[in-house]
Amino acid sequence: MNLKQLKLKNMRSFTDEVIAFPSGTTLLSGSIGAGKSTILLAIEFALFGITKEMSGAALLRNGAEKGSVELSFIIDKKEITIKRNLKRGSSVVQEAGYISIDNAIREGTATELRQAVLSLLHYPQEFLTKSPS
């Protein structure tokens, strides 16, 4: 998998940021609190959604009502973009998002997006039918 771009809206310390990844290896460096961990958590969220280990409240910026992560990458010569959305109500929940494979966009629930990503990553079939941890 080659990461191309990450768009963050109201994710932890980022209000509206676009991060372009150069081809090859990328090293994240910076001072404490610069956002390195947020970038990694956002990539994980884009791929797999909310998990027991990572709640939506831990990602959504304090005071923000909505937020999103959009990750673009290449896998198996396919250009993929996945977008996931968070919304604050009585708790922070994940709303529907979309996945685009070679510009063919398909909207989906959190579970449908997770299954699509796991399939693209060639995860074993038994993981495709299990609910997120």
Side-chain angles (χ1 to χ4, degrees):
M1 176 190 312
N2 293 321
L3 300 179
K4 291 176 60 179
Q5 182 173 275
L6 180 67
K7 293 181 182 179
L8 305 170
K9 292 200 188 259
N10 292 322
M11 292 290 131
R12 293 171 52 134
S13 60
F14 295 101
T15 53
D16 191 6
E17 189 73 33
V18 177
I19 300 162
F21 295 97
S23 60
T25 304
T26 299
L27 172 70
L28 299 177
S29 66
S31 301
I32 294 172
K36 302 175 298 295
S37 295
T38 300
I39 292 168
L40 295 174
L41 289 171
I43 292 169
E44 179 183 2
F45 172 64
L47 293 172
F48 305 112
I50 293 175
T51 64
K52 285 182 184 177
E53 295 80 23
M54 181 179 47
S55 69
L59 286 172
L60 188 60
R61 184 179 175 83
N62 287 337
E65 295 299 314
K66 291 185 176 188
S68 64
V69 173
E70 184 177 303
L71 177 66
S72 298
F73 58 96
I74 296 174
I75 191 166
D76 295 335
K77 298 181 183 177
K78 296 176 188 170
E79 291 194 29
I80 315 292
T81 298
I82 186 164
K83 182 174 183 181
R84 292 189 186 259
N85 302 294
L86 293 173
K87 181 180 180 182
R88 187 182 310 276
S90 58
S91 64
V92 176
V93 295
Q94 186 175 330
E95 296 188 309
Y98 70 81
I99 188 165
S100 170
I101 302 172
D102 289 332
N103 295 316
I105 297 174
R106 186 176 82 215
E107 291 188 19
T109 65
T111 302
E112 291 168 337
L113 295 176
R114 182 176 185 269
Q115 289 177 340
V117 169
L118 290 174
S119 179
L120 287 166
L121 295 173
H122 306 293
Y123 267 55
Q125 186 64 33
E126 64 266 17
F127 292 135
L128 297 178
T129 56
K130 291 184 181 177
S131 63
S133 337

